Each structure stands twice: as structure tokens, then as C-alpha cells.
Amino acid sequence: MSSPRDAALKVLRESAWLGREPAALAEELLAHGRLLHLNTGEWAQAEGDEDRGLVVVISGVVHVSCQAAGQRNVLIGHCEAGAVLGHATRYSGGPRLVTAVCAEPSVVLAVPERGLDEVASRWPTLWRALATSAYGYTRRTVRALAELISLPPRQRLASRLLLMATSQGGTDEQVVRLSQQAIGEMIGVTRKTVNAHLAALERERLVTAGYNRIILRDPRGLRRIADS
């Protein structure tokens, strides 16, 4: 059975933003950071926080939200293993942009600013890796905004499910680990509307909806709906 450190190394090395870098870079980040075990409802970071370190999800599900007009807290996404929550804000030009709250027991890697500087002094490509992560986050955000503006609810739901899904090893199926209420908040519709469209997608054998879990049985079919 692998240790928490070994599991964290595997996640870092397989992440989209760090996977192309030398394996030793992941080891350095882990050596200069701390693995934090958080319970459901605990915050991994807060919007407006001036902390300048790096926060990476190692396991679990973390909901990401931001404050809108009228001090309304709006759920805008979720992060799973390998995702970067907090970038080094000294280089991005401002405080944390989002609040991240654990939707289930989770583990995050927190690397302080000083640790990042020490790692980067030996591995300057760290900044390239972080830029890759930031670009990916921006790209997903822009895409989600465009879909929110332009697509009707059925197509919007299909597209967002594909965007949020994670692959299951050894199968073509993908899984979204979110409640219907949370998905509705993200795409700007009610839970009732999400439920109705999911029921239709189930009848078409495209998905199977369960408690806080939606299995994508036919991702290609969902893509055809999203693009229609």
C-alpha cells in the first residue's frame, strides 16, 4: 500500500500542468510543502487571501466559489486531484481570486512562497509549469462563460458535464462527482431543470445519475448534443 507521500508524488507527476516536467520537480515541491488533511466544509483557501504560496489538490473534491454583486457567494466550479487552487500571488499580481471549500474529506499540498523560491532556484521551469496551469484555468473559465451566454440549458448541461468529468481507469466512462444542485448553480439553472434534463439524458442512455455522482455512459453522444 502506497504512503501518502507516494500517492501525492503520483498525482503531481500525472497532473496536466506538471506531468511534462522532470520527475524531480514534483519531489522538490513535496519536500518544501505540507500535506494538509481537511474535512468536509473546511476551507483550503479564501478569496482575497494575501497568502502567496501554492495550493494543489491531492485527493478529494473541492468546490470553488467567488463573491458576486450583493455579496452573493456563487459556485463556479470544482477541483479534483492534480488541480492547482492557489498560484503564487506575488507573480499573478493580486490576492486569491476564489474561495475553495472541501466537498468531502480532501488532501491538499500547500507550498509557501519561500519554498517556491527555493524550488525555482534549482528548477526554473517551475514558473513555466505554473503558467501552463494558469492558462488552462483561464481557458476553461472563458469557455464556461461563453457557454453560459450562448447555449440553451440542455446543451449547456451536456457541455459542462464533459468539462467537469474525470475518466475512470480502464473504461470509456467518465464521472462527475457533484450534486445536481451544485451543477445547477454552475450553469445558471435550477436543480429542477438539471433533474429534468438528466432524466432525459438517462432515457437516451447517455448518463446514469446517482447521489452526488453522474456517470457519463456515452461522452461522444453528449458532445453531439453540446455541439448541436
Side-chain angles (χ1 to χ4, degrees):
M1 185 174 181
S2 63
S3 67
R5 182 181 183 280
D6 290 339
L9 275 177
K10 185 174 186 296
V11 168
L12 291 173
R13 289 171 176 170
E14 294 179 354
S15 65
W17 62 280
L18 198 58
R20 295 183 179 180
E21 302 297 334
L25 179 51
E27 295 179 4
E28 287 282 338
L29 286 172
L30 190 56
H32 286 82
R34 291 188 302 151
L35 291 175
L36 306 179
H37 296 258
L38 304 176
N39 295 319
T40 302
E42 285 195 87
W43 289 25
Q45 69 176 43
E47 182 179 353
D49 192 346
E50 295 288 346
D51 175 44
R52 298 176 183 271
L54 179 73
V55 183
V56 184
V57 180
I58 300 301
S59 66
V61 177
V62 179
H63 285 182
V64 178
S65 63
C66 66
Q67 198 169 83
Q71 296 187 333
R72 291 173 295 179
N73 203 46
V74 180
L75 184 65
I76 60 173
H78 83 305
C79 293
E80 297 187 36
V84 174
L85 292 176
H87 298 87
T89 57
R90 183 178 68 183
Y91 301 99
S92 60
R96 303 292 193 207
L97 297 176
V98 297
T99 294
V101 181
C102 297
E104 64 182 40
S106 304
V107 177
V108 301
L109 171 66
V111 185
E113 181 183 21
R114 181 177 178 180
L116 287 176
D117 286 340
E118 292 181 7
V119 174
S121 68
R122 290 188 291 274
W123 298 94
T125 56
L126 171 62
W127 304 125
R128 178 178 65 190
L130 290 176
T132 297
S133 169
Y135 175 79
Y137 185 86
T138 301
R139 184 173 181 270
R140 290 189 298 272
T141 302
V142 170
R143 176 180 168 184
L145 178 60
E147 291 171 352
L148 186 63
I149 294 171
S150 65
L151 295 181
R154 175 177 163 88
Q155 285 90 332
R156 199 186 314 162
L157 174 61
S159 182
R160 185 57 69 95
L161 290 175
L162 290 166
L163 183 65
M164 296 187 297
T166 55
S167 298
Q168 300 301 289
T171 75
D172 292 330
E173 293 178 352
Q174 298 178 323
V175 174
V176 174
R177 298 162 64 197
L178 284 172
S179 68
Q180 295 181 24
Q181 178 67 36
I183 294 172
E185 287 185 42
M186 292 180 194
I187 65 173
V189 300
T190 65
R191 180 189 179 281
K192 183 176 180 180
T193 298
V194 172
N195 183 267
H197 285 296
L198 283 176
L201 294 175
E202 280 196 290
R203 291 193 294 270
E204 298 170 46
R205 298 182 180 179
L206 299 176
V207 305
T208 297
Y211 178 72
N212 288 347
R213 181 181 177 91
I214 300 169
I215 302 174
L216 279 55
R217 301 293 186 187
D218 185 357
R220 291 183 180 179
L222 288 171
R223 174 53 60 196
R224 287 193 292 272
I225 291 174
D227 292 341
S228 63

